[in-house]
Amino acid sequence: EVQLQQSGAELGKPGTSVKLSCKVSGYNIRNTYMHWVNQRPGKGLEWIGRIDPANGNTIYAEKFKSKATLTADTSSNTAYMQLSQLKSDDTAIYFCAMESTTWFAYWGQGTLVTVSS
Amino acid sequence: DIQMTQSPSVLSASVGDRVTLNCKASQNINKYLNWYQQKLGEAPKLLIYNTNNLQTGIPSRFSGSGSGTDYTLTISSLQPEDVATYFCFQHNSWPLTFGSGTKLEIK
């Protein structure tokens, strides 16, 4: 059974960075792509970007190019997303999702990032 | 970027009703359209992929249709457990984009 387990809630101060993790079990991430999506409080879903864990290649939505950095560690089967220069409007739930032939059948449970001084 | 517009934003219906949710893309997305259901406090759940393919384990009362720029999700007989927000999602071109959601309520 494929499962995506995300790291716990983060509280970050404005101007700092946080790094979220998404550990996959039941599937080798070398054979897929890992995506990140956010959801601001009471709002819809927003695609952030994708990483190919096999070679580190990434694609980002334009607005996240200087905000998010996607990496992956195939030895631990884990994807990561670092958010830099945190601002209050980065407060959101961040989901990882695994690409498949059906697209995003598998999601992590989400990580709440709260930006506050 | 492809804009995905969902309507209505809120839909209230009775148990047993047939309900239709709409999603319009700003350009042709070649049927690369998925539907997700999100219940409060949970991650989204895939219902339909590539316009009309029912994801494994999803009840057959859910169905999808459409082409070009216009797509629909239909629930043939609304059940209490269908209360959720429904998002459409296009994976035809980068950046991938979601609709803003339809919140489905029970009257």
Side-chain angles (χ1 to χ4, degrees):
Chain A
E1 180 190 7
V2 176
Q3 292 189 319
L4 281 63
Q5 182 64 40
Q6 295 187 235
S7 49
E10 297 272 2
L11 174 61
K13 295 186 186 304
T16 65
S17 299
V18 294
K19 190 171 185 177
L20 314 183
S21 67
C22 173
K23 184 171 178 59
V24 178
S25 58
Y27 197 85
N28 190 334
I29 64 171
R30 282 183 174 273
N31 299 323
T32 187
Y33 300 95
M34 297 297 296
H35 296 249
W36 292 83
V37 173
N38 80 354
Q39 188 167 37
R40 292 187 168 84
K43 302 297 184 184
L45 302 165
E46 191 171 26
W47 179 76
I48 295 170
R50 179 191 89 168
I51 185 167
D52 180 350
N55 56 27
N57 288 345
T58 52
I59 302 173
Y60 295 93
E62 188 67 33
K63 69 177 287 188
F64 290 102
K65 281 184 177 177
S66 57
K67 171 63 62 178
T69 302
L70 305 186
T71 57
D73 178 1
T74 55
S75 66
S76 63
N77 225 38
T78 303
Y80 298 92
M81 178 174 67
Q82 179 164 312
L83 298 170
S84 62
Q85 292 296 314
L86 290 173
K87 305 176 186 177
S88 58
D89 69 354
D90 294 323
T91 293
I93 297 173
Y94 291 83
F95 295 100
C96 60
M98 194 176 86
E99 187 175 322
S100 65
T101 54
T102 59
W103 286 81
F104 301 178
Y106 303 103
W107 294 72
Q109 81 277 21
T111 296
L112 174 63
V113 174
T114 303
V115 181
S116 175
S117 55
Chain B
D1 297 6
I2 297 177
Q3 308 302 316
M4 306 297 291
T5 303
Q6 290 188 243
S7 61
S9 55
V10 179
L11 178 58
S12 184
S14 301
V15 172
D17 281 355
R18 181 182 182 89
V19 299
T20 300
L21 287 63
N22 302 296
C23 179
K24 187 174 183 67
S26 59
Q27 62 191 73
N28 182 8
I29 56 171
N30 298 302
K31 296 192 172 186
Y32 291 117
L33 187 285
N34 285 13
W35 289 95
Y36 296 88
Q37 176 193 67
Q38 188 180 33
K39 296 184 178 181
L40 205 59
E42 297 183 5
K45 179 179 182 181
L46 176 63
L47 300 177
I48 301 283
Y49 62 95
N50 294 345
T51 297
N52 56 10
N53 296 280
L54 192 66
Q55 173 67 354
T56 302
I58 301 302
S60 59
R61 63 180 180 273
F62 292 92
S63 64
S65 64
S67 63
T69 61
D70 295 296
Y71 299 84
T72 59
L73 173 70
T74 300
I75 307 174
S76 60
S77 177
L78 186 65
Q79 300 302 304
E81 60 267 31
D82 299 335
V83 169
T85 300
Y86 293 81
F87 295 96
C88 61
F89 165 74
Q90 69 82 19
H91 53 97
N92 179 73
S93 59
W94 307 107
L96 309 179
T97 46
F98 291 88
S100 55
T102 292
K103 186 176 182 180
L104 182 56
E105 301 172 341
I106 301 287
K107 274 185 192 171

